[in-house]
Amino acid sequence: MPSLAAKTNDAATRRPFSLAARAALTTGLVLAAFLGAIGWTLSRTYSASELNKLQDRLHDNVISYITGTDVRRDGKPLMPDTPPDPMFSRPGSGLYAVVLGDNFHWESPSALQRDFTFLHKLEPGQSQFVGPVDTELGRLYYYSFGVALDVPASGRDQPPMAVPLTFTVAQTEDELEGNTAVYRRSLVGWLATLGVMLIVLQLMLLYWSLTPLRKVASDMSRVERGDTDHLDSQYPIELTGLTERINAFIDSEREQRTRYRNTLADLAHSLKTPLAVIRSQLEASADISTTARLPVLDQVRRMDELVAYQLARAATSGGQTFASAVPIAGRAEDLVQSLEKVYAAKNVLCEFDIEDGAAFYGEQGDLLELMGNLLENAFKWAGHHVLLVVKVLPQGARQRPGLLLSVEDDGPGIDEDKVEKILQRGVRGDERVQGHGIGLSIVQDIVRAYRGELTVDRSAEFGGARFSVTLPPN
């Protein structure tokens, strides 16, 4: 069972919907609701219209039967020989006619042997439209109309007479439901087609509307990769304030970093000069005994090393959002040329295996400090060979690729149990080798500042030490 912390982390890392997804989702929901409401309204309207048409047809058939009906002198109705619709003559056609009166009951041939006991007589002048009604014939709609037909007088002195009759025409709902179903299928098809067209049009408009935002994101990526210094494209007026503030923030960050480095450089100069004066005075003074001078000189030396280390550590910029891409090949060549002059007596050959386009995303000073310390350490301990390998790591979904940088030599190597010790500040691998013992510690601080990893093992090719730095994509 996952813990509460795991659930919280999952919720925190779950990315919200993008603006395009939000707009598309809301537009789709609104469009679906709108088209659904239109479809429901049109379907209801069509059903009501079909029902009115059915009532009109039934009414017209009733009037046709009333018009064609005669009454004999004895008061017996005479029904028309020809029905208003041929379906009245076909048994079970679904269209039925029934006439009810006092001691009179007539049914059309289509209604023979059918049960119409649910019908009742109406007063003359009354009418009603009913349905659907569940019967043994199925669901029916029927229209009834009550009339009083005059009986022909047999003589002048005979009072006029009238025969009350109720004419009813019924029809099953099959035709009505069939027409409605066909209309609904056609309506759904057209609305679905219209909906798809509207969604495609909306997505096109949405894509066009969000183009400036994608342009800002693209330009931000170019700034992060170091391809450009600012967001310099033209944007709509709604985004101008945002991009101007981003450019101001970029300039402010760079100016602050520059002031910080200049201040550190001034501080280094201010501290190193008094320390150098103290050291020179102690070494040149004859009034101070050797036993008193050596401890003071040792403390001065330790202060000098401490100042150098802390200033180098503080000057490390670490990973930056708006860092320029620093090509590695040219800087590596310059460093190796300088080291070859310093260690000319050892006749060290340094080989390169640098991938094309390899670049360091950060401050140039950090790169020079990193490579310089690793290469200088390799030159110190190498017999005759040093190898610098630089590979570009796949960036995946990140904006900038990672970097793998390793330096190998053919020196004595480093035992595994001594690796942690030599990375400590002020510790040298061999006290006979000149140096302050802070170079590898500074390398480790720089790697940590860029969220990288430093590993030390043996070189498979030369058998000496191999220092590998891995900087992840960011």
Side-chain angles (χ1 to χ4, degrees):
M1 182 176 179
S3 63
L4 180 59
K7 293 181 179 179
T8 303
N9 291 334
D10 292 341
T13 56
R14 189 181 298 116
R15 297 183 61 183
F17 287 119
S18 64
L19 293 178
R22 290 169 182 263
L25 181 60
T26 54
T27 302
L29 292 176
V30 171
L31 182 61
F34 179 72
L35 293 179
I38 290 180
W40 181 83
T41 302
L42 291 178
S43 178
R44 295 276 296 182
T45 303
Y46 180 82
S47 297
S49 175
E50 287 295 304
L51 192 60
N52 289 332
K53 290 180 182 179
L54 175 61
Q55 181 179 355
D56 292 340
R57 288 198 304 270
L58 298 180
H59 174 268
D60 293 341
N61 287 327
V62 167
I63 297 302
S64 297
Y65 269 111
I66 293 175
T67 304
T69 300
D70 293 327
V71 180
R72 297 189 310 185
R73 293 180 183 276
D74 59 0
K76 183 177 181 179
L78 296 175
M79 302 306 297
D81 296 331
T82 303
D85 192 305
M87 293 182 64
F88 288 106
S89 302
R90 190 167 67 248
S93 64
L95 185 62
Y96 314 105
V98 178
V99 180
L100 301 178
D102 296 336
N103 301 321
F104 180 80
H105 183 92
W106 178 88
E107 296 177 350
S108 65
S110 61
L112 293 177
Q113 298 181 353
R114 299 293 192 272
D115 182 16
F116 286 96
T117 57
F118 58 88
L119 297 178
H120 59 277
K121 294 183 290 184
L122 300 178
E123 295 294 328
Q126 289 184 342
S127 65
Q128 66 177 8
F129 176 72
V130 181
V133 178
D134 292 322
T135 68
E136 66 174 10
L137 305 176
R139 293 169 63 84
L140 292 177
Y141 289 90
Y142 66 88
Y143 180 82
S144 298
F145 191 77
V147 296
L149 298 180
D150 294 333
V151 178
S154 57
R156 293 182 179 180
D157 297 335
Q158 186 177 357
M161 295 179 60
V163 178
L165 298 173
T166 300
F167 288 79
T168 301
V169 174
Q171 182 176 340
T172 59
E173 69 172 356
D174 296 341
E175 181 180 358
L176 177 65
E177 291 299 319
N179 293 338
T180 304
V182 171
Y183 175 79
R184 286 175 179 170
R185 286 195 297 270
S186 177
L187 179 63
V188 169
W190 281 107
L191 287 180
T193 303
L194 178 61
V196 171
M197 294 176 60
L198 289 176
I199 289 176
V200 172
L201 178 61
Q202 178 64 28
L203 290 177
M204 294 174 61
L205 293 175
L206 186 62
Y207 181 86
W208 176 77
S209 300
L210 294 180
T211 298
L213 290 178
R214 287 193 298 273
K215 181 62 176 174
V216 172
S218 175
D219 289 347
M220 285 290 294
S221 299
R222 294 176 62 238
V223 172
E224 291 178 0
R225 291 194 303 267
D227 298 337
T228 184
D229 294 334
H230 296 90
L231 304 177
D232 53 1
S233 299
Q234 297 295 324
Y235 305 104
I237 189 171
E238 293 83 0
L239 298 178
T240 301
L242 173 64
T243 55
E244 289 178 351
R245 286 170 175 79
I246 292 176
N247 284 333
F249 173 74
I250 295 173
D251 293 336
S252 175
E253 184 192 38
R254 289 172 177 166
E255 291 174 0
Q256 184 177 5
R257 190 166 58 247
T258 301
R259 287 196 306 269
Y260 184 58
R261 288 182 172 274
N262 292 338
T263 302
L264 290 177
D266 295 341
L267 179 60
H269 178 74
S270 300
L271 291 176
K272 283 182 173 296
T273 300
L275 289 175
V277 172
I278 294 173
R279 175 182 296 176
S280 62
Q281 290 294 327
L282 288 173
E283 291 176 348
S285 176
D287 298 334
I288 304 176
S289 63
T290 302
T291 56
R293 183 169 60 246
L294 290 179
V296 177
L297 285 174
D298 183 62
Q299 293 302 317
V300 170
R301 179 185 62 80
R302 289 178 57 117
M303 291 174 62
D304 192 23
E305 293 174 359
L306 184 62
V307 169
Y309 170 74
Q310 294 296 343
L311 289 178
R313 181 180 180 186
T316 301
S317 298
Q320 302 169 24
T321 303
F322 308 108
S324 300
V326 182
I328 294 179
R331 275 68 179 181
E333 291 177 358
D334 295 340
L335 286 172
V336 170
Q337 288 178 2
S338 300
L339 291 172
E340 286 177 345
K341 294 178 181 179
V342 175
Y343 295 92
K346 298 184 65 173
N347 194 23
V348 177
L349 173 63
C350 182
E351 300 179 6
F352 293 154
D353 183 9
I354 302 177
E355 187 173 338
D356 292 339
F360 175 80
Y361 292 92
E363 284 294 324
Q364 178 174 303
D366 293 341
L367 174 63
L368 296 178
E369 193 75 30
L370 179 66
M371 281 200 310
N373 281 294
L374 291 179
L375 287 172
E376 184 177 8
N377 184 74
F379 268 79
K380 285 180 181 180
W381 294 98
H384 298 288
H385 290 91
V386 173
L387 174 63
L388 171 63
V389 179
V390 181
K391 301 292 183 183
V392 178
L393 301 179
Q395 65 192 77
R398 301 288 186 172
Q399 297 292 341
R400 297 180 293 199
L403 195 67
L404 173 61
L405 186 149
S406 66
V407 178
E408 306 176 28
D409 62 66
D410 60 349
I414 303 173
D415 297 332
E416 292 184 4
D417 57 347
K418 295 182 178 179
V419 170
E420 184 177 355
K421 180 180 180 182
I422 67 169
L423 294 179
Q424 297 177 2
R425 180 180 61 85
V427 176
R428 298 196 296 271
D430 191 336
E431 295 296 333
R432 294 170 296 179
V433 179
Q434 185 179 4
H436 291 165
I438 65 173
L440 294 180
S441 182
I442 292 175
V443 168
Q444 193 173 30
D445 287 338
I446 294 176
V447 172
R448 287 175 179 171
Y450 284 87
R451 298 185 296 277
E453 182 180 4
L454 172 64
T455 57
V456 183
D457 56 6
R458 283 197 173 270
S459 170
E461 183 174 354
F462 299 125
R466 178 173 63 181
F467 289 81
S468 301
V469 173
T470 303
L471 301 179
N474 54 59

